Amino acid sequence: MDSAPEPPGGSTPGAPYDSLDASTDAAAVVDGHGVVIGWTRGAEELLGRPAADVVGGSAAPLVATPGDPARVAAVADRCRAGMGWSGVVSLRHADGRALDADLRVSAPFRMGDTECFLLSARRRWPHWTVGQSVLDGFLTRSPVGMAVMDLDLRYMWLNDTLERFGGVPREQRLGRRLSELLPGLQAEALEGLMRKVLDTGVPVTDYEYVGWSWADPHRRHAYSTSFFPLVDAGNTVTGVCYMVLDVTERWNARQLLSLVNEAGTRVGTTLDVLRTAQELADFAVPRFADFVAVDLLEAVLSTEGHGAWLTDAGPAPARPMMRRTGLSSVREGTPEALAQVGDLVDFLPPSYDIGLLIDGEPVLYAVLDPSDTSWVAEQPERADKIREFGMHSLIAVPMRARNTALGLATFVRSLNPVSFQRDDVLLARELVARAALCVDNARRYTREHTAAVTLQRSLLPHALSGGTALEVASSYLPADPTDGVGGDWFDVIPLSGARVGLVVGDVVGHGITAAAAMGRLRTAVQTLADMEMPPDELLAHLDDLVLRLSAESPEGGGSGTVGTAGTAFLGATCLYAVYDPFTRRCTMARAGHPPPVVVSPDGRVSFPEPPAGPPLGLGGMGFESTEIELAENSLLGLYTDGLVEGADHDIERGMARLGELLARPDADLAHLCGSAVRRLVSEARPDDIALLLVRTRALSADDVASWDVPVDPAAVADIRARATRQVEAWGLDDLAMTTELIVSELVTNAIRHAAPPIRFRLLRDTRLTCEVSDSSSTAPRLRHARSTDEGGRGLFLVAQLALRWGARYTSEGKVIWAEQEIPGQP
């Protein structure tokens, strides 16, 4: 062809044009005597002559040049020889104009007893130049298959291309219907379309279908077909023409794109390595293969180290140690498999080594021969399976992502008779590449999540004890793994004077950042509580700490951070309470945290609400404490919002439900705690859940002794003697001597340096505690006296004799205390 293709007949120059589309050509049927017996709308449009004016008359007036009987006879002889003819003729338009057109004449066919020829013409535009060789033999050698069917849908004529498409010789087709010749080619549907064209006269274009043919019985082909009617002089449909184009490559490309897109929604739906591998196997069967096995390297399934081989990490072992993680088959029970899911495997197709996984290309066995020496020698058991189940084609694709070797995916066909082709390797590669990326994401997430969980568990308390003041039970449920580790924490902190500190908190966000922040806040609370700070003051110091942590964080970034107005702060809520078993009073303060729940011994439920206070990290706002009295055997519950915030996000309803569950009588506190959590949380939640339950105890008056101390040095001996007698009365003779020394130093220092009133108290709990209170706020200071100093060793001696000592401040002043361990107590 010398230039751009011509527009179809009847169209205007510049209109869209498909050189292979003959559906718009002018077509006519002429008998052996040159009489027109069929005239299409395309012919009417080309020459401006309606069928009524042409059909039944001679075709000679349609030609603008003088008749040439010899040439006509030569053309007729050529066509009768089965060659067909094409050439350029000048046609006469109804308005008298001469139109140059490319004319194609078919080999003859019969309509009844009449010999007929199919003529098709396409206008030849003067400014286009088309080589004669392109038009020569168009009907017989065109890439478009063409045929003419009678009213009974029996073949009257077909070209060589259609004969080649179907694989049925021309002589066997003529006079027979499509459904009689090619039943696997959707013949009934195609005949239905042809009947519709005969009934309505409306063409059907570009109908696509897939089927088998005798020309290629082992491979499905896709075809695009157009149907148009033939009409006679009375505008009556006398037959149907159809044209077929093989569009298998286009159809395969579209199917490939569709399959890959679908795989993107079906494979990798979770961050779970095993499930992702199984999803790949399930998706490919039976869409692509009859049997699929996915084997991942052992290192991929490990949460330690890198988790896989880097493809540039140096030499690897000769045989891989893999574990089967995905398996699917069209046969129930996957009998083709030598290894089931969870089994160790080392399969590599012969004759490949570990290099296939590291940097190899997909392996294609278009024809899988079990008698091949490589299979018999290296994989004898698999060779038997191949033979037993008729496995005839195989593709093995290495799974790699981000320069990391992950494993091998194997696709096999057995029941599907079509062997894998090169195009199938591209599809397999794309499916495995997508799955490999999901597997790599899953293993990286698993590794990080495992590290976060390990960190979180190491930071949470491993054992809780409320001493003689409280019975303690706790329950903790981590968030759904897909949402990451949260930052909930709780703690029970022993304080001086048999008191106990209780804390529960929640860091905003998930992941390692939230877990690490939780650990820092828990440590800070323990440190501040050890300094004997009241709850409101402790939260104020904790708020300052969170502000400092926020200043260290990247702006607005990181899990567990919340960005506001160009700054970033680490959000957290907290509730801190201190219970005194002697007074049975509990002092508490909270920072944006839900209030505690209290269940009295008679089963009444209440939610005391200390002023909420702002969440930690806002800064510039104060906190307030509230004090409540708890009867002995009262139940106090501290929890995080994940426990009471249900799917409806109605926290008040969740709190009410929690109160109902805790009000049920249950002597076993641990059982009550676990049961309440299980009943409130029926499914995985996006947030951690923590519940801390304590049952209060009251210490007996027999376990405490106290005396007023006159501001007189002579009173030291009297207080010391009383304390010694009380210790001996409690049966703690082993502590009598050290108690005398501690009492002497504490009382002497109070008389010398403190302000009255001064009072001494002796407590027997899990430890023996000596306390001296006064109205001064001056902090005691431990000195290290020189060898020549006559004094200054009092608190140093106390620190050496006591298990621990310290000072706490009250509204009336301060208390200096020292604890001794009681022999035989845990």
Side-chain angles (χ1 to χ4, degrees):
M1 183 172 288
D2 303 320
S3 64
E6 302 171 10
S11 63
T12 59
Y17 165 67
D18 184 353
S19 62
L20 300 179
D21 183 9
S23 62
T24 58
D25 284 3
V29 178
V30 178
D31 67 11
H33 301 290
V35 177
V36 179
I37 61 175
W39 192 253
T40 65
R41 290 190 179 89
E44 179 179 345
E45 183 177 349
L46 176 65
L47 298 182
R49 300 172 184 268
D53 294 345
V54 178
V55 175
S58 173
L62 303 178
V63 181
T65 58
D68 186 350
R71 185 184 184 194
V72 171
V75 169
D77 291 339
R78 178 183 174 90
C79 293
R80 290 189 177 99
M83 301 291 292
W85 179 87
S86 64
V88 179
V89 298
S90 181
L91 302 177
R92 180 72 62 190
H93 193 272
D95 60 7
R97 290 182 291 116
L99 302 176
D100 288 338
D102 292 312
L103 181 68
R104 279 88 58 191
V105 183
S106 74
F109 58 93
R110 306 196 70 83
M111 295 183 67
D113 296 329
T114 304
E115 180 187 50
C116 300
F117 298 85
L118 175 65
L119 284 68
S120 64
R122 180 177 295 187
R123 183 173 182 180
R124 188 181 183 89
W125 296 92
H127 56 282
W128 286 11
T129 303
V130 180
Q132 181 66 27
S133 61
V134 177
L135 300 177
D136 186 34
F138 177 80
L139 291 175
T140 57
R141 296 191 297 272
S142 169
V144 179
M146 291 178 282
V148 175
M149 318 290 282
D150 64 14
L151 294 176
D152 294 325
L153 303 182
R154 299 183 183 277
Y155 280 99
M156 301 171 63
W157 173 86
L158 69 154
N159 69 350
D160 295 349
T161 303
L162 187 64
E163 182 180 19
R164 186 173 65 253
F165 283 170
V168 179
R170 179 183 282 104
E171 56 272 15
Q172 295 183 21
R173 285 206 188 205
L174 296 176
R176 304 180 68 182
R177 293 172 52 176
L178 179 65
S179 57
E180 298 172 352
L181 300 168
L182 299 169
L185 204 63
Q186 297 189 16
E188 293 183 359
L190 295 176
E191 289 183 347
L193 290 174
M194 285 189 277
R195 289 193 186 94
K196 180 179 178 181
V197 171
L198 291 175
D199 293 341
T200 64
V202 178
V204 174
T205 60
D206 200 25
Y207 172 76
E208 286 193 4
Y209 60 96
V210 179
W212 310 87
S213 71
W214 292 111
D216 190 2
H218 299 298
R219 183 187 178 198
R220 289 197 308 173
H221 285 253
Y223 302 97
S224 175
T225 305
S226 296
F227 306 91
F228 56 92
L230 289 173
V231 296
D232 61 10
N235 208 29
T236 301
V237 175
T238 59
V240 61
C241 293
Y242 78 81
M243 288 171 283
V244 183
L245 186 65
D246 191 325
V247 293
T248 303
E249 291 187 4
R250 183 180 74 186
W251 184 84
N252 286 339
R254 192 163 61 233
Q255 292 299 111
L256 171 63
L257 180 61
S258 175
L259 197 62
V260 170
N261 288 338
E262 186 182 0
T265 64
R266 305 286 285 274
V267 180
T269 60
T270 66
L271 287 172
D272 183 275
V273 173
L274 300 180
R275 186 167 176 181
T276 300
Q278 186 59 48
E279 285 175 344
L280 171 61
D282 290 339
F283 177 80
V285 174
R287 292 178 178 85
F288 181 65
D290 298 324
F291 172 79
V292 176
V294 180
D295 303 325
L296 297 180
L297 293 165
E298 276 281 84
V300 175
L301 305 176
S302 171
T303 58
E304 300 177 359
H306 186 271
W309 292 334
L310 290 174
T311 56
D312 56 3
R319 300 295 295 180
M321 185 56 67
M322 298 186 290
R323 193 170 294 276
R324 181 141 296 173
T325 51
L327 191 63
S328 186
S329 170
V330 293
R331 296 178 174 89
E332 186 176 355
T334 61
E336 309 98 319
L338 287 176
Q340 297 299 314
V341 172
D343 294 345
L344 289 175
V345 295
D346 61 354
F347 169 71
L348 290 175
S351 51
Y352 292 89
D353 56 17
I354 198 66
L356 172 65
L357 300 183
I358 298 175
D359 54 14
E361 291 295 313
V363 177
L364 168 64
Y365 288 90
V367 178
L368 193 58
D369 183 4
S371 62
D372 187 283
T373 54
S374 59
W375 283 96
V376 174
E378 297 184 32
Q379 307 278 345
E381 293 182 343
R382 286 188 171 84
D384 292 340
K385 289 283 188 180
I386 291 171
R387 186 178 297 105
E388 179 183 357
F389 292 99
M391 302 180 186
H392 62 83
S393 194
L394 177 146
I395 298 176
V397 184
M399 297 187 72
R400 289 191 295 269
R402 301 185 180 97
N403 204 35
T404 302
L406 302 173
L408 183 74
T410 306
F411 305 87
V412 179
R413 282 182 178 171
S414 56
L415 299 182
N416 186 341
V418 180
S419 298
F420 287 122
Q421 305 297 324
R422 286 293 173 187
D423 291 345
D424 296 318
V425 175
L426 298 177
L427 174 56
R429 185 201 292 267
E430 183 64 27
L431 292 178
V432 172
R434 293 199 174 206
L437 187 61
C438 295
V439 167
D440 192 51
N441 288 339
R443 76 172 183 87
R444 288 169 181 264
Y445 168 79
T446 300
R447 202 169 71 243
E448 179 178 344
H449 183 264
T450 301
V453 169
T454 302
L455 174 63
Q456 182 188 51
R457 290 177 177 173
S458 68
L459 296 175
L460 287 172
H462 298 287
L464 299 175
S465 175
T468 57
L470 297 170
E471 180 187 355
V472 180
S474 65
S475 183
Y476 180 84
L477 288 179
D480 188 315
T482 58
D483 294 294
V485 173
D488 291 13
W489 92 94
F490 55 90
D491 212 345
V492 177
I493 306 169
L495 304 174
S496 63
R499 297 171 308 126
V500 179
L502 305 171
V503 62
V504 64
D506 184 1
V507 175
V508 175
H510 297 84
I512 290 181
T513 304
M518 174 269 286
R520 300 175 77 173
L521 293 182
R522 177 173 177 253
T523 301
V525 170
Q526 289 180 329
T527 302
L528 296 172
D530 198 50
M531 296 171 64
E532 301 287 354
M533 289 187 178
D536 55 345
E537 188 175 341
L538 182 145
L539 291 182
H541 282 78
L542 201 62
D543 185 48
D544 293 338
L545 172 64
V546 173
L547 287 174
R548 289 198 299 274
L549 293 178
S550 300
E552 298 172 4
S553 302
E555 182 174 335
S559 177
T561 61
V562 183
T564 57
T567 64
F569 69 89
L570 185 69
T573 65
C574 183
L575 188 150
Y576 179 65
V578 176
Y579 174 68
D580 189 336
F582 286 102
T583 63
R584 294 184 289 104
R585 303 194 70 80
C586 182
T587 306
M588 63 185 73
R590 59 186 178 130
H593 203 82
V597 56
V598 175
V599 182
S600 63
D602 59 4
R604 287 182 292 108
V605 178
S606 62
F607 289 88
E609 295 197 19
L616 300 174
L618 292 179
M621 303 177 70
F623 302 93
E624 298 181 37
S625 295
T626 295
E627 188 176 78
I628 61 174
E629 184 173 339
L630 299 174
E632 187 173 7
N633 291 323
S634 293
L635 194 65
L636 176 66
L638 280 63
Y639 52 91
T640 55
D641 57 3
L643 181 64
V644 295
E645 188 178 29
D648 56 0
H649 300 285
D650 190 340
I651 293 183
E652 291 188 359
R653 172 187 261 176
M655 291 168 58
R657 177 66 175 151
L658 174 62
E660 293 175 4
L661 294 173
L662 296 182
R664 298 178 179 181
D666 195 328
D668 189 334
L669 191 64
H671 180 270
L672 179 64
C673 183
S675 174
V677 171
R678 287 192 300 271
R679 289 175 178 270
L680 283 172
V681 184
S682 58
E683 57 186 19
R685 295 284 181 89
D687 197 6
D688 289 1
I689 293 168
L691 175 62
L692 176 64
L693 289 185
V694 298
R695 184 172 283 141
T696 63
R697 298 167 180 159
L699 295 187
S700 169
D702 295 337
D703 294 321
V704 61
S706 62
W707 303 279
D708 291 329
V709 180
V711 186
D712 181 357
V716 175
D718 179 54
I719 298 299
R720 182 174 58 231
R722 292 186 183 187
T724 301
R725 287 194 296 272
Q726 184 61 59
V727 169
E728 292 173 345
W730 283 337
L732 305 177
D733 297 28
D734 293 341
L735 300 179
M737 183 177 295
T738 54
T739 301
E740 284 187 57
L741 295 173
I742 292 173
V743 170
S744 294
E745 296 300 334
L746 293 182
V747 174
T748 298
N749 282 343
I751 292 174
R752 287 181 179 179
H753 305 293
I758 301 172
R759 190 168 180 80
F760 177 81
R761 187 168 72 159
L762 196 63
L763 306 175
R764 182 182 64 172
D765 185 32
T766 54
R767 294 168 182 168
L768 181 65
T769 305
C770 299
E771 294 182 347
V772 176
S773 61
D774 61 69
S775 60
S776 170
S777 58
T778 303
R781 184 166 61 92
L782 179 65
R783 294 174 54 195
H784 294 271
R786 293 170 296 180
S787 59
T788 57
D789 292 345
E790 295 183 0
R793 298 179 178 84
L795 287 180
F796 179 78
L797 288 174
V798 171
Q800 296 300 310
L801 295 171
L803 178 67
R804 62 178 191 149
W805 74 281
R808 67 176 183 268
Y809 295 89
T810 66
S811 57
E812 293 83 15
K814 70 175 181 297
V815 175
I816 309 298
W817 53 270
E819 292 180 350
Q820 299 177 77
E821 195 166 5
I822 297 177
Q825 289 285 347

